[in-house]
């Protein structure tokens, strides 16, 4: 899938911008606060329907304007005609999404068309940060790979919210056993599906991540990625088990936790509490023990593996958005990253230091200045 | 305020209707005021008449102008099957298919803690009181969303000891939904869901 062209109107600091991209690598350089990240944000929006940094769509509307519009022209097997356009219009509170001029029946149908992997400086923390970041890393990847996973995750979250409210409302009351049992059944059903989707995705992702990690670390270290859940403490290194038994384990756990859940009004086990476990043999869990360099290397391997995972599961490479991360890596890792992505997937790189790309024929250079992009 | 009080009041009332925002309410108000008085009178009369004459059937909970409703008293219908739905509009949708020849039971909602709706807020006691030796099957036709599914599960747990056949509409295709418009996920789910519960 290729993003051929983008048009922005009153989006962030862009008034009116139209840019055509190279199918390979696009480099956006410019001083701070000129609109480089804003452009990547617009591309991300075309893929996922929401921003990776705005808390609210209102922030995306250019100051003193009524509404923004982002339109992308794309080609690829997922699209009904070549090229196709995806248009997102919003007045900051209501969003409208169109494919080739026709409104999408459900806005969530957008996800999975244009696919993206974003690598921003915050992502360098993925190894050390809270479990929710690692879950989100996997979920955003898988949601783009499978409409079934998207639906399961959405329903799991909906059940979780309802069940938490139910538990909260029961505090200090006589609990309705049948209703609790009904919510438990629902939670277990969708938990099982979400867990199965994650196990399946991780079984593909883990070996790829290990391979990249070995490459980037010059074979010095071996990265192990596995699914970490209170429901399968035994499966430290293996990815196979549990997908089917997850539901059974959760049922048992809910039984065990019933008193605590009813006291706290909160669901205490399930996929919303699981994690990715990253380990290096003989060194233990990276979250606890990783050095700065180790955690960066692992983050890089995971992101590169996600690109391959999406290709593996959908047949389509995602757009790769690298926001200011190159400066975070030493030359060795920088080269490993660039050599891997160049030539396989359309890439958008922002940098304050474009020199190293200027004589590379695969790169199309852009200058970003005060909300304007020039080739 | 841009509007004189009578106009403002009309717009306020219209915008209380579901799916009608302030802009649509305003458009409707202008439209109505452009109509002949007798046309507007007819609309107002029909609202009052419907409200006065329609109420819920004491047996099944469907909207009706006769009590009990014509479905509950129709002797040609199969009284041994009860189809449980969330709202009166589901009864209409199922009746339009002309496929179902049993009776209905309208719950008037679905379990949803976020909306403050628990089993005790639904017409479940009324359903239990309808069940006797003549009832052979209960079809659970609540919506295929989380709340509807949970309600169906709840009812299954409640009804299972009573030794009835309990079935669930194939999940995924909304009641009255059109297969043509069902998306990929919905269709996959519907295929998965074609079993007895
Ligand atoms: N809604 C908006 N309307 C107008 N300007 C905005 C809006 N949102 C953000 N901006 C401006 O956009 C600029 C930030 O752009 P962006 O984040 O793309 O910077 P950048 O080029 O990536 O810089 P850096 O190199 O520091 O990351 C800021 O000057 C900010 O004031
Ligand atoms: Mg930036
Ligand atoms: Zn009736």
């Amino acid at each position: 899938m290729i993003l051929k062209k983008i048009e922005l109107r009153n989006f962030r600091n862009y008034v009116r911008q139209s840019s055509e991209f190279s199918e390979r690598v696009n480099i956006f350089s410019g001083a701070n606060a000129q609109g480089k990240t804003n452009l990547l944000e617009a591309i991300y929006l075309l893929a996922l329907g929401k921003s990776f940094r705005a808390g609210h769509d209102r922030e995306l509307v250019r100051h003193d304007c009524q509404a923004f519009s982002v339109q992308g022209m794309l080609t690829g097997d997922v699209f009904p005609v070549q090229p196709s356009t995806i248009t997102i219009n919003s007045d900051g509170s209501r969003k409208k999404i169109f494919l080739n001029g026709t409104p999408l029946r459900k806005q969530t149908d957008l996800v999975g068309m244009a696919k993206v992997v974003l690598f921003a400086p915050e992502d360098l923390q993925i190894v050390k940060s809270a479990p929710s970041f690692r879950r989100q890393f996997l979920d955003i990847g898988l949601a783009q790979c499978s409409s079934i996973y998207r639906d399961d995750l959405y329903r799991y979250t909906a059940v979780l919210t309802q069940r938490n409210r139910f538990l909260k409302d029961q505090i200090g009351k006589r609990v309705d056993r049948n209703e609790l049992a009904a919510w438990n059944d629902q939670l277990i059903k969708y938990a099982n599906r979400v867990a199965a989707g994650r196990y399946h995705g991780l079984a593909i992702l883990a070996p790829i991540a290990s391979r990249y990690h070995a490459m980037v670390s010059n074979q010095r270290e071996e990265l192990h990625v596995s699914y970490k859940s209170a429901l399968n403490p035994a499966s430290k290194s293996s990815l196979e088990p549990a997908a089917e038994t997850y539901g059974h384990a959760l049922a048992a756990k809910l039984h065990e936790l019933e008193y605590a859940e009813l006291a706290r009004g909160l669901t205490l086990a399930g996929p919303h509490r699981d994690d990715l476990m990253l380990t290096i043999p003989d060194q233990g869990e990276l979250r606890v023990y990783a050095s700065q360099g180790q955690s960066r290397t692992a983050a890089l391997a995971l992101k590169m593996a996600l690109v391959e995972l999406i290709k593996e599961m959908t047949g389509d490479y995602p757009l790769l958005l690298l926001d200011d991360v190159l400066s975070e890596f030493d030359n060795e890792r920088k080269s490993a990253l660039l050599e891997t992505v160049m030539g396989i997937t359309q890439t958008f790189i922002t940098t304050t230091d474009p020199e190293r790309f200027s004589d590379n024929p695969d790169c199309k250079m852009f200058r970003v200045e005060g909300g304007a992009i020039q080739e | 305020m841009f509007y004189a009080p009578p106009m403002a009041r009309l717009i306020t009332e219209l915008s209380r209707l579901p799916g009608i925002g302030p802009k649509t309410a305003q458009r409707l108000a202008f439209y109505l005021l452009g109509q002949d008085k007798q046309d507007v009178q007819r609309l107002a009369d029909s609202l009052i008449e419907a409200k006065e004459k329609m109420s819920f059937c004491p047996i099944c909970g469907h909207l009706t102008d006769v009590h009990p409703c014509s479905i509950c008293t129709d002797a040609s219908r199969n009284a041994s099957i009860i189809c449980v739905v969330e709202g009166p509009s589901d009864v209409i949708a199922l009746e339009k298919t002309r496929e179902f020849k049993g009776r209905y039971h309208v719950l008037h909602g679905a379990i949803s803690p976020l909306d403050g709706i628990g089993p005790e807020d639904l017409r479940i006691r009324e359903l239990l009181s309808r069940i006797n030796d003549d009832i052979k099957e209960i079809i659970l036709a609540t919506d295929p969303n989380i709340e509807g599914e949970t309600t169906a599960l709840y009812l299954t747990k409640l009804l299972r000891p009573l030794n009835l056949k309990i079935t669930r509409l194939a999940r995924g295709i909304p009641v009255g939904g059109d297969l043509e418009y069902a998306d990929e996920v919905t269709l996959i789910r519907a295929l998965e869901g074609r079993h007895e519960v």
Side-chain angles (χ1 to χ4, degrees):
Chain A
M1 170 213 25
I2 298 293
L3 176 62
K4 295 216 149 288
K5 187 175 165 185
I6 202 165
E7 287 185 21
L8 312 175
R9 290 206 57 179
N10 297 328
F11 180 84
R12 291 280 193 189
N13 66 337
Y14 291 97
V15 181
R16 194 172 200 147
Q17 179 67 47
S18 173
S19 298
E20 288 183 34
F21 302 124
S22 154
E23 299 191 0
R24 319 193 94 159
V25 181
N26 298 276
I27 310 286
F28 303 90
S29 62
N32 296 132
Q34 300 304 306
K36 301 185 298 296
T37 302
N38 293 346
L39 173 70
L40 297 192
E41 194 175 26
I43 298 174
Y44 189 94
L45 188 74
L46 285 175
L48 289 163
K50 58 182 176 202
S51 161
F52 54 83
R53 59 175 179 174
H56 202 284
D57 280 353
R58 218 176 310 120
E59 299 165 36
L60 305 177
V61 182
R62 196 179 137 79
H63 299 320
D64 303 323
C65 292
Q66 297 297 313
F68 74 77
S69 168
V70 174
Q71 182 170 82
M73 190 201 275
L74 299 109
T75 57
D77 290 343
V78 285
F79 295 106
V81 295
Q82 309 299 339
S84 280
T85 56
I86 293 175
T87 314
I88 300 183
N89 298 338
S90 171
D91 61 3
S93 60
R94 279 189 30 181
K95 191 154 40 201
K96 292 195 179 131
I97 306 180
F98 304 84
L99 176 64
N100 295 318
T102 311
L104 290 187
R105 212 170 50 82
K106 291 201 317 275
Q107 297 207 338
T108 46
D109 288 344
L110 176 72
V111 181
M113 286 200 242
K115 295 169 267 289
V116 288
V117 169
L118 167 75
F119 197 2
E122 307 83 82
D123 297 314
L124 290 165
Q125 307 301 317
I126 187 168
V127 171
K128 289 278 192 179
S129 51
S132 62
F133 283 85
R134 285 179 296 277
R135 279 197 303 271
Q136 211 179 43
F137 160 80
L138 190 61
D139 284 343
I140 291 177
L142 291 175
Q144 298 185 78
C145 293
S146 155
S147 55
I148 296 290
Y149 186 77
R150 220 147 59 222
D151 188 57
D152 287 336
L153 189 62
Y154 171 79
R155 286 173 186 264
Y156 177 75
T157 311
V159 171
L160 185 65
T161 322
Q162 287 280 22
R163 187 175 184 273
N164 281 341
R165 183 54 172 269
F166 168 74
L167 292 172
K168 202 159 274 158
D169 290 346
Q170 301 294 309
I171 295 178
K173 289 197 205 128
R174 229 193 74 210
V175 58
D176 181 332
R177 307 294 321 176
N178 275 330
E179 190 179 352
L180 178 61
W183 285 118
N184 285 358
D185 284 2
Q186 290 277 67
L187 192 79
I188 291 162
K189 173 178 170 185
Y190 291 107
N192 210 24
R193 292 180 178 188
V194 168
R198 289 183 183 167
Y199 280 112
H200 175 70
L202 269 189
I204 300 172
L205 183 100
I208 306 175
S210 290
R211 209 174 66 227
Y212 276 128
H213 191 268
M215 191 178 91
V216 179
S217 69
N218 271 328
Q219 320 295 331
R220 282 188 295 266
E221 290 175 336
E222 197 185 338
L223 174 69
H224 277 234
V225 185
S226 61
Y227 195 63
K228 184 178 176 186
S229 172
L231 301 170
N232 65 332
S235 72
K236 244 187 149 166
S237 55
S238 129
L239 292 163
E240 311 315 328
E244 286 77 38
T245 57
Y246 192 94
H248 297 299
L250 180 56
K253 197 81 181 173
L254 290 180
H255 188 70
E256 184 189 317
L257 290 171
E258 189 177 301
Y259 183 77
E261 288 198 329
L262 284 169
R264 290 180 55 188
L266 210 59
T267 300
L268 297 174
H272 66 292
R273 298 215 146 201
D274 294 344
D275 196 357
L276 293 192
M277 177 134 84
L278 308 168
T279 47
I280 287 177
D282 306 328
Q283 295 190 17
E285 212 176 328
L286 283 179
R287 175 168 188 213
V288 187
Y289 297 107
S291 72
Q292 282 280 349
Q294 277 179 317
S295 92
R296 273 157 196 249
T297 303
L300 179 61
L302 282 173
K303 283 288 174 177
M304 284 157 59
L306 194 62
V307 171
E308 292 291 339
L309 174 80
I310 291 175
K311 160 71 179 165
E312 208 37 62
M313 288 184 72
T314 68
D316 213 7
Y317 274 111
L319 309 174
L320 180 61
L321 312 179
L322 302 178
D323 191 17
D324 244 354
V325 282
L326 289 179
S327 55
E328 307 282 344
F329 291 106
D330 57 28
N331 278 327
E332 205 178 325
R333 287 178 175 76
K334 218 180 286 188
S335 309
L337 172 60
L338 291 173
E339 273 161 33
T340 320
V341 300
M342 295 224 179
I344 63 164
T345 173
Q346 193 185 15
T347 306
F348 300 82
I349 298 176
T350 70
T351 176
T352 41
D353 155 44
E355 272 74 59
R356 65 172 292 133
F357 304 100
S358 48
D359 48 2
N360 187 326
D362 280 337
C363 296
K364 183 168 180 182
M365 311 295 293
F366 298 85
R367 288 236 19 111
V368 182
E369 230 179 294
I373 304 173
Q374 254 131 41
E375 287 182 27
Chain B
M1 226 12 219
F2 302 113
Y3 297 114
M7 179 76 170
R9 184 173 158 213
L10 176 59
I11 293 175
T12 311
E13 291 303 321
L14 287 170
S15 57
R16 286 178 46 213
L17 300 173
I20 309 272
K23 274 193 188 141
T24 310
Q26 186 182 309
R27 212 174 58 236
L28 289 173
F30 277 116
Y31 171 81
L32 288 170
L33 295 181
Q35 298 284 294
D36 289 342
K37 172 147 191 220
Q38 71 222 44
D39 291 332
V40 177
Q41 187 68 53
R42 229 182 18 249
L43 175 63
D45 289 347
S46 70
L47 285 173
I48 297 297
E49 188 192 0
K51 184 63 205 170
E52 275 172 1
K53 298 210 174 134
M54 302 296 288
S55 56
F56 298 123
C57 171
I59 300 173
C60 71
H62 187 39
L63 267 177
T64 174
D65 60 340
V66 289
H67 300 83
C69 75
S70 56
I71 297 176
C72 286
T73 51
D74 183 346
S76 74
R77 296 186 75 115
N78 184 347
S80 72
I81 305 181
I82 297 178
C83 179
V84 180
V85 297
E86 290 184 19
S89 59
D90 298 322
V91 175
I92 306 286
L94 282 161
E95 281 298 283
K96 277 188 182 156
T97 68
R98 297 173 194 280
E99 284 295 317
F100 179 66
K101 291 284 180 274
R103 301 238 160 103
Y104 292 97
H105 191 85
V106 183
L107 294 171
H108 290 285
I111 295 174
S112 174
L114 289 173
D115 298 305
I117 303 174
E120 64 286 356
D121 302 307
L122 306 174
R123 296 181 69 254
I124 292 176
R125 225 167 301 121
E126 290 87 336
L127 174 64
L128 293 178
S129 74
R130 286 177 72 182
I131 292 173
N132 55 38
D133 290 346
D134 299 333
I135 306 288
K136 301 281 178 272
E137 179 176 354
I138 304 278
I139 302 174
L140 301 173
T142 48
D143 291 353
N145 54 24
I146 294 300
E147 294 73 25
E149 273 180 13
T150 304
T151 307
L153 278 169
Y154 180 86
L155 291 173
T156 308
K157 289 175 197 303
L158 209 62
L159 299 172
R160 195 167 277 147
L162 303 181
N163 241 329
L164 297 157
K165 183 173 176 192
I166 306 168
T167 52
R168 174 92 172 104
L169 275 202
R171 198 208 122 149
I173 309 292
V175 175
D178 193 335
L179 208 62
E180 193 186 348
Y181 292 108
D183 62 22
E184 179 196 3
V185 175
T186 315
L187 283 173
I188 294 170
R189 294 282 188 249
L191 288 169
E192 283 173 3
R194 60 193 156 78
H195 52 252
E196 204 173 299
V197 287

